[in-house]
């Protein structure tokens, strides 16, 4: 049985439409997979960066404590909070009581 040319054309167009839809669906799934992969990479980068930030914050706190201890050992005192410290043009610091 031989099909007429018009029916062959309809079958070919239908097949082409199915192929186009399939290609479009496959392309969308590939795109979604790529976006998901990028999101996972960003999540791991964010987690790693947060760990580094936590480490740096701990290091900062340790250094701040060491500075305060070292200053006490060297004889420095912390000024009262209500006093102001003025620095003159020659670079010497003066307390507001020493004006």
């Amino acid at each position: 049985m031989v099909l007429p040319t018009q029916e062959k054309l309809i079958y070919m167009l239908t097949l082409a439409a199915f192929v186009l839809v399939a290609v479009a669906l496959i392309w969308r799934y590939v795109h979604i997979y790529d976006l998901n992969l990028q999101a996972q990479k960003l999540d791991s980068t964010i987690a790693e960066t947060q760990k580094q930030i936590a480490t740096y914050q701990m290091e900062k706190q340790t250094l701040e404590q060491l500075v305060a201890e070292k200053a006490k050992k060297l004889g420095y005192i912390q000024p009262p909070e209500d006093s102001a410290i003025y620095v003159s043009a020659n670079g010497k610091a003066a307390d507001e009581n020493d004006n």
Side-chain angles (χ1 to χ4, degrees):
M1 177 167 123
V2 176
L3 294 175
T5 307
Q6 203 172 22
E7 277 189 45
K8 288 181 185 177
L9 184 61
I10 290 174
Y11 287 135
M12 291 299 290
L13 289 175
T14 304
L15 182 62
F18 280 121
V19 168
L20 285 175
V21 169
V23 167
L25 287 175
I26 290 171
W27 181 81
R28 293 295 298 164
Y29 279 115
V30 167
H31 184 67
I32 290 170
Y33 176 80
D34 185 48
L35 289 175
N36 190 19
L37 186 63
Q38 289 176 7
Q40 288 176 357
K41 286 180 181 178
L42 283 175
D43 285 341
S44 65
T45 303
I46 289 170
E48 184 178 321
T49 304
Q50 286 176 339
K51 286 180 186 178
Q52 287 178 346
I53 289 171
T55 302
Y56 292 147
Q57 286 176 341
M58 290 292 294
E59 188 176 333
K60 178 185 171 188
Q61 288 176 352
T62 304
L63 290 174
E64 285 174 349
Q65 290 172 356
L66 289 175
V67 166
E69 291 173 10
K70 181 99 175 187
K72 279 185 181 180
K73 286 180 184 177
L74 293 174
Y76 291 101
I77 59 169
Q78 190 167 3
E81 290 195 25
D82 59 342
S83 68
I85 298 175
Y86 299 97
V87 179
S88 65
N90 62 6
K92 292 185 179 178
D95 202 359
E96 68 181 19
N97 298 332
D98 294 339
N99 287 340

